[in-house]
Amino acid sequence: MPGVSSARTQVAIVGAGPAGLMLSHLLGAAGIESIVIDKRTREAIQTTVRAGILEADTVRLLSQTGASSRVLSDGQRHDGIELRFAGTGHRIDFMALTGRSVWLYPQHEVLRDLIAARLADGQELRFETEAVRVEDDGAVARVLATDADGEPLTITADFVVGADGSRSVARRAVTGPAGEGYFREYPFAWFGILCEAPASAPELIYSNSPEGFALISQRSATVQRMYLQCDPDLDPQSWSEEQIWEALEARVAPHPLIRGPIFQRDVLRFRSYVASSLSSGRVALVGDCAHTVPPTGAKGMNLAIADVVVLARALRALMRKRDRSLIESYEPDVLERVWKAQHFSWWMTQMLHLTPEASEFDRRRQLGELQSVVSSEAGRRYLAEAYTGWPLDLESLL
Ligand code: PHB
């Protein structure tokens, strides 16, 4: 029957991305009920191509909490990356420098695993349900939404978590209507492709070149993901396959690339953002809704998971013992990592990309910076520590 429907839960989560689903999973393991809503269909969530690199502790959390067994069987461990500049590759050996590695396991596979685990636990996931507004009257919090049939739905909860990405609706309940925060825009974007081909290199290649940046990444033995720096307004359909391959090859030369049919293209805009406030009353923000990083440091999904580890612990104390102290300290507890990741993502971005206004001085200085990093063990170790991820305190969650 049409009309306003309602639901009651302990924690209402807006957004079924990695942060929202992982939070629901960790709460469920502690006996705390949640409802997750997302405006997209399950199919869209599970098939949209996103990031691919998981830090070691993200993998540990996914595998040891039963969220994903496939990450260890289907993911690939990477013990280093190659930094290329001035026509030469330099390996950053993560294992030797930090004893840690990362895993290549695409975000949509993480989402597939998390959705299956949530449904197997009998948890409520409502797809095609769009949040309109989040309210907090002091006694309870509410998500006002529109359900899959276009009917209004109100979810009343003890706590609401905004996990709805960079175009968040929930954010306003914490930051105010202007969605205030700290921003940085970049004058370039990435042109990303997926192609059917074997891998062109055993590890990811991050390449600085006079033509601009390129990243040679992977998806599987037969599918590769590659990116090249482009103008943010570029129409990805305007380039021929030959043009794309020539541009990629010029940027990693003389390293050869194995070409194959390109079956997907997209343009990713770059932005750095941290919300002015991450929690208020009965509402908290996690993941891209709280902060966005440019993709050059491979930090986005890992940072979202790190927020959730801290918030899950805080919500457990709140729901079980009515103890708000960890909720009060959620923002300072996560901000140190957030700003370290902001710095690392900005640093990798500015070191590897060519800005449109770069002078010859800027270009030579950039090569000096790259040379300083690869020729110093301290430089390589900083990169390796940041890329493999600062350790997470998982003990009370496993
Ligand atoms: C990806 O494979 O999509 C990817 C890998 C590393 C990055 C960014 C994206 O830094």
Side-chain angles (χ1 to χ4, degrees), residues 49 66 122 139 154 200 210 226 238 271 279 285 315 318 337 364 369:
V49 176
T154 300
S200 285
M226 303 184 191
S238 67
R271 211 161 86 114
S279 83
L285 311 178
L315 286 172
L318 180 67
R337 174 186 299 268
R364 287 172 190 237
E369 182 175 10

Side-chain angles (χ1 to χ4, degrees), residues 50-53 104 190 204 206 215 217-219 225 227 295-299 387:
R50 301 292 292 273
I53 293 288
L104 186 88
W190 279 3
L204 271 55
Y206 288 80
L215 170 60
S217 183
Q218 311 171 1
R219 281 294 175 269
R225 179 85 165 140
Y227 300 94
T296 327
K299 281 279 148 281
Y387 196 99

